[in-house]
Amino acid sequence: MGVAKAWRFSVIPAKLALLQHPSGSVLSHKHECCRCRSSVAQPRKPISWSLICGLMLFCLGMISLFTGHVASDLEWYSQRLMKRRSYFRLEGINKGPIDIWKSDYANYFYGCSKRSRNFPHAVSEQSSNGYLLIGASGGLNQQRTGISDAVVVARILNATLVVPELDHNSYWKDDSDFADIFDVNWFISYLEKDVTIVKRVPDKFMRSMEKPPYTMRVPRKSPPEYYLDQVLPILQRRSVLQLTKFDYRLANNIDDELQKLRCRTNYYALRFRKPIQELGQKLVTRMRAMAKRFIAVHLRFEPDMLAFSGCYFGGGEKERYELGEIRKRWETLTDVDADGERRRGRCPLTPHEVGLMLRALGFANDTYIYVASGEIYGGEETLRPLRGLFPNFYTKEMLAEEELKPFLPFSSRLAAIDYIVSDESDVFVTNNNGNMAKILAGRRRYMGHKRTIRPNAKRLGPLMMERDQIDWDTFARKVKAFQKGFMGEPDEMRPGRGEFHEYPYSCICERPLGDVVDNKSEDLRFEQGIQGLKE
């Protein structure tokens, strides 16, 4: 194994250099040959031909020795090289005007997260290394990332996963359990080939334990090696292990088969309970009844978000005092220059500015928009300019006032309804790079690169501050220029870029050119087949 790794890191970069710069490499070798010949011509430093032959035979022997390693490692590398090429080949597609409603290049790719034949089946509960308890952290979408990663960690540890516990003490104060939001039986059965999952540790086993479950918190973005070296021994020794505050505790770059397990969990296994799913679909149907196409906008303009940013949004001393008081909840935050933060692109756009961006991109004022948000700071007064730009303005409260009442005490269930409508929209617009934005951006890429717009805050922030000094045509032209690369096009994907949940590159495959047609992803048909069998 050590020889293989050494060969990978010594030979592969050289091979890559040859692949990327063949002409340069040939010239380099020619120069070496010239130097050898010139040195041969010098009488003071004669070269022994027997030595040269010996070196050549030695090199041939080394090549023969490592042939197996070279073949396997080149295959390993070529898979990743081809995955990069599939995206790089589309570089430059954003140079001209683009369709604001959909990507012209989406059909070149499809979601692919099916388990390979070589991926071993999950170990049984009796044969596993112990029970893994997970405490997910944060709101709905932050918990979703933690649950997806928990499944992968259980797989790495050959552990039996206990259905994760949700956070009841966060800012959102929601006491919903896993089974109140997600279809727990579907979750267990869908992943049964990948990970053994149980609803609770058996009582008989718990009574036989001499000590309570061991509790620990792993560092953020820990690689699989950390879990094998630091966590597995404890699990094997104690049999029941609890990992707390479990959000973003697994590294971004892991084995492709494990990445695909992440995708299967996130996009298929985590299915909302029937009442949530049905109400979300009703809202989608009602939007479709009014318009053939609609935009979902996640404003993320809640007081906590604004206070945390340290930005100023024009509300005078009242705003400065109110947001300043909320900001005191985070003791580690320091005072910042509000204008400087905005010019550096670290502030969310106001609802009015989001509307201006959309109008500048070409969305007409008769476009239907669905606003997915919690409490908007400033309420109706803050939303009025956006309504003026887009009179066909709807929220879940407007579309389902009576039907929504049972969900009102539960922020995570309300967020789930917004998630469903946003996912089904023709265009999804996010106003920040928070958890919902990342999760939905990744899912929409996986499900066919559906148009997803994220404001280029670094360029739009300063532009919005200067908009009163320029005419509309100039403003619109600049917005279109600044937003290239932020419209959800396939070429924005890069292996290793950002959070995997936002850029699920290992789960998106290139479609053969002869098969570029309008159809659903391979895995969506796969899921529907499984659902038919289970029903």
Side-chain angles (χ1 to χ4, degrees), residues 388-402:
L389 293 169
F390 293 97
N392 298 313
F393 174 108
Y394 293 90
T395 65
K396 56 183 174 294
E397 291 82 5
M398 296 169 65
L399 294 171
E401 184 176 357
E402 289 299 319

Side-chain angles (χ1 to χ4, degrees), residues 469-480:
Q469 304 170 20
I470 56 178
D471 61 83
W472 174 255
D473 289 341
T474 302
F475 175 80
R477 186 173 64 254
K478 289 189 175 183
V479 168
K480 290 174 182 176

Side-chain angles (χ1 to χ4, degrees), residues 418-490:
D418 278 339
Y419 179 99
I420 293 168
V421 182
S422 299
D423 181 41
E424 293 287 338
S425 66
D426 298 277
V427 176
F428 175 61
V429 181
T430 175
N431 191 25
N432 77 323
N433 207 28
N435 292 298
M436 181 171 174
K438 292 175 182 177
I439 286 285
L440 271 172
R443 178 179 173 85
R444 290 172 68 85
R445 287 186 173 98
Y446 179 87
M447 294 296 178
H449 283 286
K450 294 190 289 185
R451 176 69 72 210
T452 303
I453 300 174
R454 178 166 61 90
N456 180 357
K458 288 185 179 180
R459 305 298 298 275
L460 292 184
L463 179 64
M464 292 296 177
M465 297 175 74
E466 301 167 357
R467 69 178 186 271
D468 294 336
Q469 304 170 20
I470 56 178
D471 61 83
W472 174 255
D473 289 341
T474 302
F475 175 80
R477 186 173 64 254
K478 289 189 175 183
V479 168
K480 290 174 182 176
F482 293 163
Q483 279 302 117
K484 289 180 180 179
F486 292 80
M487 300 291 287
E489 288 288 340

Side-chain angles (χ1 to χ4, degrees), residues 9 18 61 74 147 172 208 234 239 243 276 379 388 405 444 466:
F9 290 108
L18 289 172
L74 283 178
I147 295 167
W172 291 268
S208 67
I234 299 174
S239 298
L243 302 181
I276 297 174
K405 285 183 177 179
R444 290 172 68 85
E466 301 167 357

Side-chain angles (χ1 to χ4, degrees), residues 86-87 90-109 428 441 444-446 448-454 483-494 497 502-504 508:
S86 65
Y87 293 107
L90 294 180
E91 281 186 344
I93 65 175
N94 283 328
K95 290 182 179 179
I98 63 173
D99 187 332
I100 56 176
W101 285 99
K102 63 180 181 179
S103 170
D104 294 332
Y105 298 87
N107 291 329
Y108 288 93
F109 304 93
F428 175 61
R444 290 172 68 85
R445 287 186 173 98
Y446 179 87
H449 283 286
K450 294 190 289 185
R451 176 69 72 210
T452 303
I453 300 174
R454 178 166 61 90
Q483 279 302 117
K484 289 180 180 179
F486 292 80
M487 300 291 287
E489 288 288 340
D491 71 329
E492 294 172 23
M493 290 278 291
R494 291 290 185 275
R497 175 185 182 181
E502 184 179 5
Y503 299 99
I508 297 178

